[in-house]
Amino acid sequence: MESLKRDLQRLIEGEVVFDELSRTIYSSAASIYRIKPLGIVKPKHETDVIHLVKYAAERGIPLIPRGGGTSRTGNELGDSILVDFSKYMNRILEFEPKEQWVRVQPGMILDSLNKFLKPHKLFFPIDPSTKEYCTLGGMIANNSSGPHAVKYGATRDYVLSLEVVLSDGEVMTTRPVPLGRRESKDPETLEQRIYRTMPGLLQQYRKPMEEERPFTLKNSSGYDLWRLEAHECLDLTSLFVGSEGTLGIITGAKLRLLPLPGKARGGLIYFDSLDHVGTATQKLLELSPSMLEIIERQIIDLARKQKVEMRPYLPERTEALLFVEFEEGDRDRLPHKFIEAERLLVQQGKLATSIKVARNEEETAMFEKVRSISGPILNKAKGPKRPLAFIEDGAVHPSLLSRYIMGLREIFRKAEVEASIYGHAGDGNLHLMVFLDLREDSEAKKMLELTDACYDLILSLKGTISGEHGDGRLRTYYLRKQYPNLYPAMVEIKNLFDPDNILNPGCIVGGETNPLNQHLKYESQDQGRMRGTFFDKEVVRTAIETCSGCGKCRSYCPVVQKLPEEWAMGRAKATLLREFASGALDPKFFDSHQFKEVMDSCVNCKRCLTECPSGVDIPWVALSGRAHYLEKHGEPLSNRFFTSTRTLCE
């Protein structure tokens, strides 16, 4: 390990980090998994990436690109070198406002880009729930979308070209290349071999491409083979989008922009039966909404109990509600959209029981809180069973939405589990959170059984197991089920682009075993604990385990704003303490100066208490960690002097 670190430090101008605490901090993020990497490289520029890839290719060392660490699927984790783009490669490279495009590095935060674009009256329209802290490289890797996808589509629709470092260190810039064109170079480069091979491969698998294409409005499962050929050209841009770093490492992206949207207004539509939700969704799509979201009964009932101020907007005995938003350049046209929606759904169709339309800014803000209540309600749920995202991204055609939800409810009833359903009704993409305690072996087994049942349901409706989050460790094993005859094409493509399997191995193209319930964050009940420390208190362990690792602390922590380091984030503190508590990290590090430095990076501003989706009291967690250190080592002389008021006054 030391020789590997020294070699990379000679090659890389950026940072090379191989210490045990840093590797532990990077071992988990927003998914249910934890896998300690070999080390972390933070490249400063594309040349660093080229040197790293060439070095890794010569020695068969796997590499995993990493952005904000917000993936639910675990595709940024592995026993590999993580390539963290968030610290240095996070800038705008070119901007053409008249032509409405921008070229960015992969570590740039989406929210930062849109703040830059706003004075130019432009924006990048894809808006995942993590928009304040996710990176554009991660969005491209997963083909992310969000609640406005019903109007604006997914990331793939806005990527014009990519700069990609291939598995041998060669740099490719994607563009339309005329079919049949041959550039003569001797020897043949990897890029040339790719362009020579891909047309024949696509032709060979034309029939399964037609037969196994999901009947959905969105799809982020497997490689996109359907949009590569157009106008007698081959453009590999769409193939790299959604490839999760398995075909090449993206170092730059040229993105299409749109003018800022017009005025918007939202409304809530209530249903006393799930039978009508699919038909109602179809009717609303005819009116071209900019957002169409669904929340079903379990979350509505939880919100009524916990949020008194929302009760007037969440009637009792509501089976489901749709939040619909319309955008118009002319504000005066907005009321007509809702009048037509009420006519179609309530008066004429008898599909919905009623509709409420926001009348002013105050109600607009409340409607938005209702729309986005699912995450805060679920993340702050108490008890040993936590809401888990492992079948959270299936999508079906909106016309089949009612059948999908009723099928899910039946699966959860038979399995005797609690589960919450919400998501994007406009494109049939539902997010499911199932309450399980993965510290129990029986619950981990139930996770596998539920996954099989839910994916069978989705595929029976010709849906996709991933609408916008990608495959990662969660779903790669199941791609054979979704694409029984097309999956071999994906294997061939992986072997063509990455013959030595060094780029994010195990994602999209995986092995014969299912990694779904392996390397989980949560240990079984019989795992070792650190006795005689503050971990003995159940309240401490609960606080640590409540952190989902979502990464939102990147967007509000004042320390991280000035010091863009993973170890400065709130989730890093929770991760370290969780690993100590489980016995996975040697207790000697608990008494190290580096551990105290991580805990000291919290300035006790208390913003976690109001902005953390899980409500984790990171200041208290950090203070507890510091207290343990001081019990062992005592306070430094400088601290004792400046905190002793009596001494200073004498």
Side-chain angles (χ1 to χ4, degrees), residues 156 219-224 241-244 471 479 483 490 508:
R156 181 174 282 128
N219 178 31
S220 287
S221 201
Y223 296 133
D224 177 31
V241 178
S243 65
E244 303 182 26
D471 299 309
L479 286 178
Y483 302 117
M490 298 182 187
I508 299 184

Side-chain angles (χ1 to χ4, degrees), residues 69-368:
T70 61
S71 169
R72 288 276 182 88
T73 72
N75 55 13
E76 80 285 33
L77 302 176
D79 183 16
S80 311
I81 293 176
L82 300 189
V83 189
D84 183 356
F85 288 101
S86 64
K87 184 172 182 179
Y88 295 115
M89 293 185 66
N90 55 17
R91 298 188 300 277
I92 293 172
L93 300 173
E94 286 184 85
F95 175 47
E96 288 293 341
K98 290 183 180 179
E99 297 179 21
Q100 298 186 357
W101 62 262
V102 66
R103 194 163 69 89
V104 300
Q105 292 179 312
M108 182 155 207
I109 302 292
L110 171 60
D111 195 49
S112 300
L113 174 63
N114 277 328
K115 284 177 179 176
F116 168 82
L117 294 172
K118 190 173 182 179
H120 302 278
K121 298 183 179 180
L122 296 169
F123 80 128
F124 186 72
I126 308 306
D127 63 334
S129 61
T130 55
K131 58 182 176 287
E132 295 175 329
Y133 47 99
C134 70
T135 65
L136 286 152
M139 291 177 63
I140 293 166
N142 295 323
N143 186 35
S144 300
S145 60
H148 284 96
V150 67
K151 178 173 182 176
Y152 295 111
T155 300
R156 181 174 282 128
D157 301 310
Y158 296 88
V159 181
L160 299 173
S161 70
L162 295 167
E163 291 122 58
V164 184
V165 178
L166 299 176
S167 62
D168 64 350
E170 182 184 348
V171 180
M172 168 194 283
T173 299
T174 64
R175 66 200 189 284
V177 173
L179 288 167
R181 174 180 165 184
R182 298 285 184 270
E183 293 181 3
S184 57
K185 280 189 182 179
D186 191 22
E188 184 181 51
T189 66
L190 177 55
E191 180 178 359
Q192 288 176 319
R193 185 159 66 251
I194 288 168
Y195 279 114
R196 174 174 57 80
T197 307
M198 283 297 297
L201 194 150
L202 293 173
Q203 183 59 39
Q204 178 186 346
Y205 286 94
R206 191 75 64 197
K207 185 178 180 182
M209 283 171 61
E210 293 172 0
E211 294 174 346
E212 296 177 7
R213 186 172 191 172
F215 175 55
T216 57
L217 300 184
K218 67 197 307 188
N219 178 31
S220 287
S221 201
Y223 296 133
D224 177 31
L225 307 183
W226 294 275
R227 297 167 44 150
L228 306 184
E229 294 177 313
H231 310 296
E232 298 186 353
C233 286
L234 178 68
D235 189 343
L236 299 177
T237 304
S238 190
L239 179 63
F240 282 109
V241 178
S243 65
E244 303 182 26
T246 62
L247 303 180
I249 297 180
I250 295 165
T251 56
K254 183 179 179 181
L255 307 175
R256 180 167 67 94
L257 307 172
L258 292 181
L260 284 171
K263 304 298 180 182
R265 182 177 296 183
L268 299 172
I269 305 171
Y270 304 97
F271 297 84
D272 59 7
S273 170
L274 283 176
D275 294 341
H276 304 313
V277 170
T279 304
T281 298
Q282 290 285 92
K283 295 282 187 184
L284 287 167
L285 288 174
E286 294 173 8
L287 301 178
S288 301
S290 54
M291 197 189 313
L292 186 51
E293 302 285 277
I294 185 170
I295 304 174
E296 63 91 60
R297 183 185 61 216
Q298 201 242 21
I299 296 174
I300 294 171
D301 291 345
L302 282 173
R304 280 186 56 81
K305 290 177 184 177
Q306 298 180 28
K307 302 288 183 180
V308 176
E309 71 277 14
M310 290 188 182
R311 287 179 186 171
Y313 306 95
L314 300 171
E316 292 185 84
R317 293 181 293 279
T318 299
E319 278 295 308
L321 69 80
L322 291 177
F323 172 87
V324 62
E325 177 193 82
F326 295 105
E327 286 178 358
E328 291 287 348
D330 181 0
R331 186 192 297 269
D332 293 337
R333 295 179 60 184
L334 289 170
H336 299 290
K337 291 278 190 177
F338 288 99
I339 291 170
E340 181 64 8
E342 185 170 21
R343 184 185 70 81
L344 289 172
L345 303 188
V346 181
Q347 298 168 357
Q348 187 182 84
K350 308 297 182 185
L351 301 172
T353 57
S354 61
I355 180 170
K356 282 183 185 286
V357 182
R359 295 167 295 183
N360 49 47
E361 293 298 322
E362 185 179 347
E363 279 201 339
T364 297
M366 178 56 72
F367 280 28
E368 178 60 25

Side-chain angles (χ1 to χ4, degrees), residues 395-410:
V396 300
H397 193 272
S399 62
L400 301 171
L401 194 59
S402 295
R403 286 174 59 186
Y404 182 30
I405 295 175
M406 287 189 285
L408 290 171
R409 282 188 173 180
E410 180 62 15

